[in-house]
Each structure stands twice: as structure tokens, then as C-alpha cells.
Amino acid sequence: NTWIHSTTPPTNDRPTYIFHTVEIPVGSSVVSDSLRIETTGRLEVCGHLEIDNEVIFKVDGDGKAGQIINNCGTNTCTVTVRSTATAIVRKKFSTASGAYPWSFVSVPFDVTEDRIFIAGTDTPAIWGDLTSTTGDFYIGEYDGQKRANDGFTNGSNYVNLPAHTLVANKGYILAAGDGNDSIDFKSVVGTQFACLDTQLETTYYA
């Protein structure tokens, strides 16, 4: 499937849904008001895409996520997030009976506690640490130094996030709170996506 020229956002508030692999070919320039990248969707941007309002990446309970390919194999970004637009990672939790409660999640932008919401609403989601008894979600990160120092003899090597901030492209464990099946991780307005190889600093513990 091919998506060709579109020079202005739609005049209504109906989003464009991407359910399968769709390409914006070289030479085409598309301006989209709102995009929904479904879990089966993959948008390959070889021309240029501008997002005017918002883009939502959906992630299902098994971790399958919608994708935007932001450079089409080149060293140049092909997606622009306008200063009016935000990006949202909408994570759905597994509801299968007996499913393991924890899943791994990573988002392509930094997210502070006040940018996490009940999915599809403006209601802030209540942050739950690993030792919390209430929360709309529970989240932790792996502590490599703790593992190196103590091995497996001291219980879990997952710890709370000290600043209640998710760092772009870093991995975390995530579980649902009671009665809540999905949450939104929302970017600051105008945040751009990485389009080249991403590197994170790591530390070696002997």
C-alpha cells in the first residue's frame, strides 16, 4: 500500500489508521493531522511525513507494537513532529487468565510521571513503585550493580525508578494496576523521534 501527496491536514478530526505495511514513497510529502499506528501497522517513510496533531503507537498485551520507519535506510530523518504535535505510546496490559503480570516496555522519548495517563483520557495515571500497594501501573528497572554485588541471594534485582522518569529507549518492567487495562505514555509537545542508530551508556560491574 502506498500513501502519496497530502499537503494539508484533514479538515475533520478523524485520524488515519495504519493496520498493515504502508509506504510513503520517495518524492511524496504527507502532512497528517492524527495517526494511529495499530499493533499490526508499519509506516515506512521514504518520502517525508509531518505530524500536525498527534501520533499514537499501540502496543498489545504481548508486546507487539506499531512502527514508523523514520529514515528508510538513509542517514536523514524523514518524519517531522510539528511544534503542535505529541506522540503517545498506548500500552495495553495482558488480560489472559494466568498471564505473567510483568512485561517489558521502552518508549522513544523521555516520559515524566506527569505525562502518563489512563489510555484515551486526560486522567493522570497513579504511579506504582515495586513496593506500592496501590497504583494504576507498577514499574521498575534492572540494577546491574546490585546483581553484580549480591547475585541472586538478595531477592529481586529490579528497583524503583529514582526520579519517576522513563529515559528514551531504555527498558523497564511494567505491570497493570487493579481495574486498568491500558495507559498512555505521552511526549512533550514537539518532541522528535530518533532516526539514526541510538546508543545508551552502559556500565560494567565486575
mmCIF file with all atom_site columns, all heavy atoms in Angstrom, residues 96-115:
data_model
loop_
_atom_site.group_PDB
_atom_site.id
_atom_site.type_symbol
_atom_site.label_atom_id
_atom_site.label_alt_id
_atom_site.label_comp_id
_atom_site.label_asym_id
_atom_site.label_entity_id
_atom_site.label_seq_id
_atom_site.pdbx_PDB_ins_code
_atom_site.Cartn_x
_atom_site.Cartn_y
_atom_site.Cartn_z
_atom_site.occupancy
_atom_site.B_iso_or_equiv
_atom_site.pdbx_formal_charge
_atom_site.auth_seq_id
_atom_site.auth_comp_id
_atom_site.auth_asym_id
_atom_site.auth_atom_id
_atom_site.pdbx_PDB_model_num
ATOM 1   N N   . ALA A 1 96  ? -5.166 -12.086 29.698 1.00 0.00 ? 96  ALA A N   1
ATOM 2   C CA  . ALA A 1 96  ? -5.334 -13.535 29.628 1.00 0.00 ? 96  ALA A CA  1
ATOM 3   C C   . ALA A 1 96  ? -5.255 -14.153 31.023 1.00 0.00 ? 96  ALA A C   1
ATOM 4   O O   . ALA A 1 96  ? -4.446 -13.738 31.862 1.00 0.00 ? 96  ALA A O   1
ATOM 5   C CB  . ALA A 1 96  ? -4.266 -14.144 28.723 1.00 0.00 ? 96  ALA A CB  1
ATOM 6   N N   . SER A 1 97  ? -6.103 -15.129 31.257 1.00 0.00 ? 97  SER A N   1
ATOM 7   C CA  . SER A 1 97  ? -6.103 -15.804 32.547 1.00 0.00 ? 97  SER A CA  1
ATOM 8   C C   . SER A 1 97  ? -4.760 -16.482 32.792 1.00 0.00 ? 97  SER A C   1
ATOM 9   O O   . SER A 1 97  ? -4.245 -17.210 31.936 1.00 0.00 ? 97  SER A O   1
ATOM 10  C CB  . SER A 1 97  ? -7.222 -16.843 32.585 1.00 0.00 ? 97  SER A CB  1
ATOM 11  O OG  . SER A 1 97  ? -7.195 -17.564 33.788 1.00 0.00 ? 97  SER A OG  1
ATOM 12  N N   . GLY A 1 98  ? -4.175 -16.197 33.948 1.00 0.00 ? 98  GLY A N   1
ATOM 13  C CA  . GLY A 1 98  ? -2.901 -16.817 34.306 1.00 0.00 ? 98  GLY A CA  1
ATOM 14  C C   . GLY A 1 98  ? -1.694 -16.206 33.633 1.00 0.00 ? 98  GLY A C   1
ATOM 15  O O   . GLY A 1 98  ? -0.581 -16.721 33.761 1.00 0.00 ? 98  GLY A O   1
ATOM 16  N N   . ALA A 1 99  ? -1.871 -15.094 32.908 1.00 0.00 ? 99  ALA A N   1
ATOM 17  C CA  . ALA A 1 99  ? -0.751 -14.459 32.207 1.00 0.00 ? 99  ALA A CA  1
ATOM 18  C C   . ALA A 1 99  ? 0.251  -13.891 33.209 1.00 0.00 ? 99  ALA A C   1
ATOM 19  O O   . ALA A 1 99  ? -0.126 -13.398 34.272 1.00 0.00 ? 99  ALA A O   1
ATOM 20  C CB  . ALA A 1 99  ? -1.261 -13.354 31.293 1.00 0.00 ? 99  ALA A CB  1
ATOM 21  N N   . TYR A 1 100 ? 1.531  -13.977 32.841 1.00 0.00 ? 100 TYR A N   1
ATOM 22  C CA  . TYR A 1 100 ? 2.569  -13.380 33.684 1.00 0.00 ? 100 TYR A CA  1
ATOM 23  C C   . TYR A 1 100 ? 2.324  -11.877 33.760 1.00 0.00 ? 100 TYR A C   1
ATOM 24  O O   . TYR A 1 100 ? 2.128  -11.221 32.729 1.00 0.00 ? 100 TYR A O   1
ATOM 25  C CB  . TYR A 1 100 ? 3.938  -13.669 33.087 1.00 0.00 ? 100 TYR A CB  1
ATOM 26  C CG  . TYR A 1 100 ? 5.091  -13.251 33.956 1.00 0.00 ? 100 TYR A CG  1
ATOM 27  C CD1 . TYR A 1 100 ? 5.332  -13.889 35.165 1.00 0.00 ? 100 TYR A CD1 1
ATOM 28  C CD2 . TYR A 1 100 ? 5.942  -12.213 33.570 1.00 0.00 ? 100 TYR A CD2 1
ATOM 29  C CE1 . TYR A 1 100 ? 6.395  -13.516 35.979 1.00 0.00 ? 100 TYR A CE1 1
ATOM 30  C CE2 . TYR A 1 100 ? 7.008  -11.822 34.378 1.00 0.00 ? 100 TYR A CE2 1
ATOM 31  C CZ  . TYR A 1 100 ? 7.227  -12.478 35.583 1.00 0.00 ? 100 TYR A CZ  1
ATOM 32  O OH  . TYR A 1 100 ? 8.270  -12.098 36.381 1.00 0.00 ? 100 TYR A OH  1
ATOM 33  N N   . PRO A 1 101 ? 2.291  -11.285 34.962 1.00 0.00 ? 101 PRO A N   1
ATOM 34  C CA  . PRO A 1 101 ? 1.857  -9.885  35.077 1.00 0.00 ? 101 PRO A CA  1
ATOM 35  C C   . PRO A 1 101 ? 2.849  -8.859  34.554 1.00 0.00 ? 101 PRO A C   1
ATOM 36  O O   . PRO A 1 101 ? 2.457  -7.739  34.223 1.00 0.00 ? 101 PRO A O   1
ATOM 37  C CB  . PRO A 1 101 ? 1.650  -9.721  36.584 1.00 0.00 ? 101 PRO A CB  1
ATOM 38  C CG  . PRO A 1 101 ? 2.561  -10.733 37.211 1.00 0.00 ? 101 PRO A CG  1
ATOM 39  C CD  . PRO A 1 101 ? 2.552  -11.905 36.274 1.00 0.00 ? 101 PRO A CD  1
ATOM 40  N N   . TRP A 1 102 ? 4.130  -9.212  34.467 1.00 0.00 ? 102 TRP A N   1
ATOM 41  C CA  . TRP A 1 102 ? 5.140  -8.226  34.080 1.00 0.00 ? 102 TRP A CA  1
ATOM 42  C C   . TRP A 1 102 ? 5.460  -8.334  32.597 1.00 0.00 ? 102 TRP A C   1
ATOM 43  O O   . TRP A 1 102 ? 5.546  -9.423  32.038 1.00 0.00 ? 102 TRP A O   1
ATOM 44  C CB  . TRP A 1 102 ? 6.423  -8.442  34.882 1.00 0.00 ? 102 TRP A CB  1
ATOM 45  C CG  . TRP A 1 102 ? 6.257  -8.144  36.335 1.00 0.00 ? 102 TRP A CG  1
ATOM 46  C CD1 . TRP A 1 102 ? 6.070  -9.063  37.329 1.00 0.00 ? 102 TRP A CD1 1
ATOM 47  C CD2 . TRP A 1 102 ? 6.224  -6.866  36.953 1.00 0.00 ? 102 TRP A CD2 1
ATOM 48  N NE1 . TRP A 1 102 ? 5.935  -8.426  38.538 1.00 0.00 ? 102 TRP A NE1 1
ATOM 49  C CE2 . TRP A 1 102 ? 6.028  -7.073  38.339 1.00 0.00 ? 102 TRP A CE2 1
ATOM 50  C CE3 . TRP A 1 102 ? 6.351  -5.560  36.474 1.00 0.00 ? 102 TRP A CE3 1
ATOM 51  C CZ2 . TRP A 1 102 ? 5.955  -6.015  39.250 1.00 0.00 ? 102 TRP A CZ2 1
ATOM 52  C CZ3 . TRP A 1 102 ? 6.280  -4.506  37.376 1.00 0.00 ? 102 TRP A CZ3 1
ATOM 53  C CH2 . TRP A 1 102 ? 6.085  -4.736  38.746 1.00 0.00 ? 102 TRP A CH2 1
ATOM 54  N N   . SER A 1 103 ? 5.640  -7.195  31.967 1.00 0.00 ? 103 SER A N   1
ATOM 55  C CA  . SER A 1 103 ? 6.099  -7.149  30.582 1.00 0.00 ? 103 SER A CA  1
ATOM 56  C C   . SER A 1 103 ? 7.190  -6.088  30.478 1.00 0.00 ? 103 SER A C   1
ATOM 57  O O   . SER A 1 103 ? 7.357  -5.256  31.383 1.00 0.00 ? 103 SER A O   1
ATOM 58  C CB  . SER A 1 103 ? 4.948  -6.818  29.625 1.00 0.00 ? 103 SER A CB  1
ATOM 59  O OG  . SER A 1 103 ? 4.355  -5.575  29.958 1.00 0.00 ? 103 SER A OG  1
ATOM 60  N N   . PHE A 1 104 ? 7.937  -6.133  29.386 1.00 0.00 ? 104 PHE A N   1
ATOM 61  C CA  . PHE A 1 104 ? 8.979  -5.142  29.161 1.00 0.00 ? 104 PHE A CA  1
ATOM 62  C C   . PHE A 1 104 ? 8.443  -4.037  28.267 1.00 0.00 ? 104 PHE A C   1
ATOM 63  O O   . PHE A 1 104 ? 7.665  -4.289  27.339 1.00 0.00 ? 104 PHE A O   1
ATOM 64  C CB  . PHE A 1 104 ? 10.206 -5.783  28.510 1.00 0.00 ? 104 PHE A CB  1
ATOM 65  C CG  . PHE A 1 104 ? 10.992 -6.665  29.448 1.00 0.00 ? 104 PHE A CG  1
ATOM 66  C CD1 . PHE A 1 104 ? 10.776 -8.029  29.495 1.00 0.00 ? 104 PHE A CD1 1
ATOM 67  C CD2 . PHE A 1 104 ? 11.938 -6.118  30.305 1.00 0.00 ? 104 PHE A CD2 1
ATOM 68  C CE1 . PHE A 1 104 ? 11.482 -8.843  30.364 1.00 0.00 ? 104 PHE A CE1 1
ATOM 69  C CE2 . PHE A 1 104 ? 12.649 -6.921  31.186 1.00 0.00 ? 104 PHE A CE2 1
ATOM 70  C CZ  . PHE A 1 104 ? 12.426 -8.289  31.210 1.00 0.00 ? 104 PHE A CZ  1
ATOM 71  N N   . VAL A 1 105 ? 8.863  -2.803  28.533 1.00 0.00 ? 105 VAL A N   1
ATOM 72  C CA  . VAL A 1 105 ? 8.420  -1.667  27.732 1.00 0.00 ? 105 VAL A CA  1
ATOM 73  C C   . VAL A 1 105 ? 9.573  -0.685  27.567 1.00 0.00 ? 105 VAL A C   1
ATOM 74  O O   . VAL A 1 105 ? 10.431 -0.550  28.447 1.00 0.00 ? 105 VAL A O   1
ATOM 75  C CB  . VAL A 1 105 ? 7.206  -0.962  28.389 1.00 0.00 ? 105 VAL A CB  1
ATOM 76  C CG1 . VAL A 1 105 ? 7.601  -0.300  29.710 1.00 0.00 ? 105 VAL A CG1 1
ATOM 77  C CG2 . VAL A 1 105 ? 6.591  0.058   27.461 1.00 0.00 ? 105 VAL A CG2 1
ATOM 78  N N   . SER A 1 106 ? 9.612  -0.041  26.403 1.00 0.00 ? 106 SER A N   1
ATOM 79  C CA  . SER A 1 106 ? 10.569 1.025   26.127 1.00 0.00 ? 106 SER A CA  1
ATOM 80  C C   . SER A 1 106 ? 9.866  2.043   25.248 1.00 0.00 ? 106 SER A C   1
ATOM 81  O O   . SER A 1 106 ? 9.075  1.666   24.372 1.00 0.00 ? 106 SER A O   1
ATOM 82  C CB  . SER A 1 106 ? 11.812 0.475   25.417 1.00 0.00 ? 106 SER A CB  1
ATOM 83  O OG  . SER A 1 106 ? 12.734 1.512   25.133 1.00 0.00 ? 106 SER A OG  1
ATOM 84  N N   . VAL A 1 107 ? 10.113 3.324   25.479 1.00 0.00 ? 107 VAL A N   1
ATOM 85  C CA  . VAL A 1 107 ? 9.467  4.365   24.687 1.00 0.00 ? 107 VAL A CA  1
ATOM 86  C C   . VAL A 1 107 ? 10.529 5.216   24.004 1.00 0.00 ? 107 VAL A C   1
ATOM 87  O O   . VAL A 1 107 ? 11.650 5.340   24.509 1.00 0.00 ? 107 VAL A O   1
ATOM 88  C CB  . VAL A 1 107 ? 8.548  5.254   25.556 1.00 0.00 ? 107 VAL A CB  1
ATOM 89  C CG1 . VAL A 1 107 ? 7.381  4.441   26.090 1.00 0.00 ? 107 VAL A CG1 1
ATOM 90  C CG2 . VAL A 1 107 ? 9.302  5.881   26.710 1.00 0.00 ? 107 VAL A CG2 1
ATOM 91  N N   . PRO A 1 108 ? 10.202 5.823   22.833 1.00 0.00 ? 108 PRO A N   1
ATOM 92  C CA  . PRO A 1 108 ? 11.224 6.550   22.055 1.00 0.00 ? 108 PRO A CA  1
ATOM 93  C C   . PRO A 1 108 ? 11.397 8.002   22.462 1.00 0.00 ? 108 PRO A C   1
ATOM 94  O O   . PRO A 1 108 ? 11.931 8.802   21.690 1.00 0.00 ? 108 PRO A O   1
ATOM 95  C CB  . PRO A 1 108 ? 10.673 6.439   20.622 1.00 0.00 ? 108 PRO A CB  1
ATOM 96  C CG  . PRO A 1 108 ? 9.201  6.418   20.795 1.00 0.00 ? 108 PRO A CG  1
ATOM 97  C CD  . PRO A 1 108 ? 8.955  5.656   22.070 1.00 0.00 ? 108 PRO A CD  1
ATOM 98  N N   . PHE A 1 109 ? 10.943 8.355   23.676 1.00 0.00 ? 109 PHE A N   1
ATOM 99  C CA  . PHE A 1 109 ? 11.119 9.718   24.180 1.00 0.00 ? 109 PHE A CA  1
ATOM 100 C C   . PHE A 1 109 ? 11.087 9.651   25.705 1.00 0.00 ? 109 PHE A C   1
ATOM 101 O O   . PHE A 1 109 ? 10.560 8.694   26.290 1.00 0.00 ? 109 PHE A O   1
ATOM 102 C CB  . PHE A 1 109 ? 10.013 10.646  23.667 1.00 0.00 ? 109 PHE A CB  1
ATOM 103 C CG  . PHE A 1 109 ? 8.634  10.036  23.676 1.00 0.00 ? 109 PHE A CG  1
ATOM 104 C CD1 . PHE A 1 109 ? 7.883  9.963   24.840 1.00 0.00 ? 109 PHE A CD1 1
ATOM 105 C CD2 . PHE A 1 109 ? 8.087  9.508   22.513 1.00 0.00 ? 109 PHE A CD2 1
ATOM 106 C CE1 . PHE A 1 109 ? 6.628  9.378   24.855 1.00 0.00 ? 109 PHE A CE1 1
ATOM 107 C CE2 . PHE A 1 109 ? 6.822  8.920   22.513 1.00 0.00 ? 109 PHE A CE2 1
ATOM 108 C CZ  . PHE A 1 109 ? 6.088  8.864   23.694 1.00 0.00 ? 109 PHE A CZ  1
ATOM 109 N N   . ASP A 1 110 ? 11.686 10.650  26.360 1.00 0.00 ? 110 ASP A N   1
ATOM 110 C CA  . ASP A 1 110 ? 11.638 10.699  27.817 1.00 0.00 ? 110 ASP A CA  1
ATOM 111 C C   . ASP A 1 110 ? 10.199 10.941  28.275 1.00 0.00 ? 110 ASP A C   1
ATOM 112 O O   . ASP A 1 110 ? 9.447  11.681  27.638 1.00 0.00 ? 110 ASP A O   1
ATOM 113 C CB  . ASP A 1 110 ? 12.520 11.830  28.354 1.00 0.00 ? 110 ASP A CB  1
ATOM 114 C CG  . ASP A 1 110 ? 14.005 11.580  28.137 1.00 0.00 ? 110 ASP A CG  1
ATOM 115 O OD1 . ASP A 1 110 ? 14.376 10.437  27.802 1.00 0.00 ? 110 ASP A OD1 1
ATOM 116 O OD2 . ASP A 1 110 ? 14.797 12.531  28.306 1.00 0.00 ? 110 ASP A OD2 1
ATOM 117 N N   . VAL A 1 111 ? 9.823  10.318  29.402 1.00 0.00 ? 111 VAL A N   1
ATOM 118 C CA  . VAL A 1 111 ? 8.476  10.490  29.948 1.00 0.00 ? 111 VAL A CA  1
ATOM 119 C C   . VAL A 1 111 ? 8.578  10.702  31.458 1.00 0.00 ? 111 VAL A C   1
ATOM 120 O O   . VAL A 1 111 ? 9.089  9.842   32.171 1.00 0.00 ? 111 VAL A O   1
ATOM 121 C CB  . VAL A 1 111 ? 7.571  9.271   29.670 1.00 0.00 ? 111 VAL A CB  1
ATOM 122 C CG1 . VAL A 1 111 ? 6.157  9.540   30.186 1.00 0.00 ? 111 VAL A CG1 1
ATOM 123 C CG2 . VAL A 1 111 ? 7.530  8.936   28.197 1.00 0.00 ? 111 VAL A CG2 1
ATOM 124 N N   . THR A 1 112 ? 8.068  11.833  31.924 1.00 0.00 ? 112 THR A N   1
ATOM 125 C CA  . THR A 1 112 ? 7.998  12.091  33.354 1.00 0.00 ? 112 THR A CA  1
ATOM 126 C C   . THR A 1 112 ? 6.653  11.610  33.898 1.00 0.00 ? 112 THR A C   1
ATOM 127 O O   . THR A 1 112 ? 5.715  11.342  33.150 1.00 0.00 ? 112 THR A O   1
ATOM 128 C CB  . THR A 1 112 ? 8.174  13.587  33.653 1.00 0.00 ? 112 THR A CB  1
ATOM 129 O OG1 . THR A 1 112 ? 7.234  14.335  32.881 1.00 0.00 ? 112 THR A OG1 1
ATOM 130 C CG2 . THR A 1 112 ? 9.589  14.048  33.302 1.00 0.00 ? 112 THR A CG2 1
ATOM 131 N N   . GLU A 1 113 ? 6.568  11.508  35.218 1.00 0.00 ? 113 GLU A N   1
ATOM 132 C CA  . GLU A 1 113 ? 5.375  10.948  35.853 1.00 0.00 ? 113 GLU A CA  1
ATOM 133 C C   . GLU A 1 113 ? 4.104  11.684  35.444 1.00 0.00 ? 113 GLU A C   1
ATOM 134 O O   . GLU A 1 113 ? 3.041  11.071  35.279 1.00 0.00 ? 113 GLU A O   1
ATOM 135 C CB  . GLU A 1 113 ? 5.547  10.994  37.369 1.00 0.00 ? 113 GLU A CB  1
ATOM 136 C CG  . GLU A 1 113 ? 4.404  10.401  38.159 1.00 0.00 ? 113 GLU A CG  1
ATOM 137 C CD  . GLU A 1 113 ? 4.687  10.372  39.656 1.00 0.00 ? 113 GLU A CD  1
ATOM 138 O OE1 . GLU A 1 113 ? 5.739  10.899  40.075 1.00 0.00 ? 113 GLU A OE1 1
ATOM 139 O OE2 . GLU A 1 113 ? 3.852  9.821   40.396 1.00 0.00 ? 113 GLU A OE2 1
ATOM 140 N N   . ASP A 1 114 ? 4.200  13.010  35.258 1.00 0.00 ? 114 ASP A N   1
ATOM 141 C CA  . ASP A 1 114 ? 3.007  13.789  34.938 1.00 0.00 ? 114 ASP A CA  1
ATOM 142 C C   . ASP A 1 114 ? 2.583  13.687  33.482 1.00 0.00 ? 114 ASP A C   1
ATOM 143 O O   . ASP A 1 114 ? 1.606  14.316  33.068 1.00 0.00 ? 114 ASP A O   1
ATOM 144 C CB  . ASP A 1 114 ? 3.203  15.255  35.323 1.00 0.00 ? 114 ASP A CB  1
ATOM 145 C CG  . ASP A 1 114 ? 4.338  15.920  34.553 1.00 0.00 ? 114 ASP A CG  1
ATOM 146 O OD1 . ASP A 1 114 ? 5.143  15.202  33.921 1.00 0.00 ? 114 ASP A OD1 1
ATOM 147 O OD2 . ASP A 1 114 ? 4.423  17.162  34.578 1.00 0.00 ? 114 ASP A OD2 1
ATOM 148 N N   . ARG A 1 115 ? 3.300  12.858  32.681 1.00 0.00 ? 115 ARG A N   1
ATOM 149 C CA  . ARG A 1 115 ? 2.944  12.648  31.273 1.00 0.00 ? 115 ARG A CA  1
ATOM 150 C C   . ARG A 1 115 ? 2.420  11.227  31.039 1.00 0.00 ? 115 ARG A C   1
ATOM 151 O O   . ARG A 1 115 ? 2.440  10.740  29.913 1.00 0.00 ? 115 ARG A O   1
ATOM 152 C CB  . ARG A 1 115 ? 4.151  12.909  30.363 1.00 0.00 ? 115 ARG A CB  1
ATOM 153 C CG  . ARG A 1 115 ? 4.793  14.281  30.523 1.00 0.00 ? 115 ARG A CG  1
ATOM 154 C CD  . ARG A 1 115 ? 3.909  15.411  30.047 1.00 0.00 ? 115 ARG A CD  1
ATOM 155 N NE  . ARG A 1 115 ? 3.653  15.341  28.608 1.00 0.00 ? 115 ARG A NE  1
ATOM 156 C CZ  . ARG A 1 115 ? 2.853  16.180  27.965 1.00 0.00 ? 115 ARG A CZ  1
ATOM 157 N NH1 . ARG A 1 115 ? 2.221  17.133  28.632 1.00 0.00 ? 115 ARG A NH1 1
ATOM 158 N NH2 . ARG A 1 115 ? 2.659  16.069  26.659 1.00 0.00 ? 115 ARG A NH2 1
#
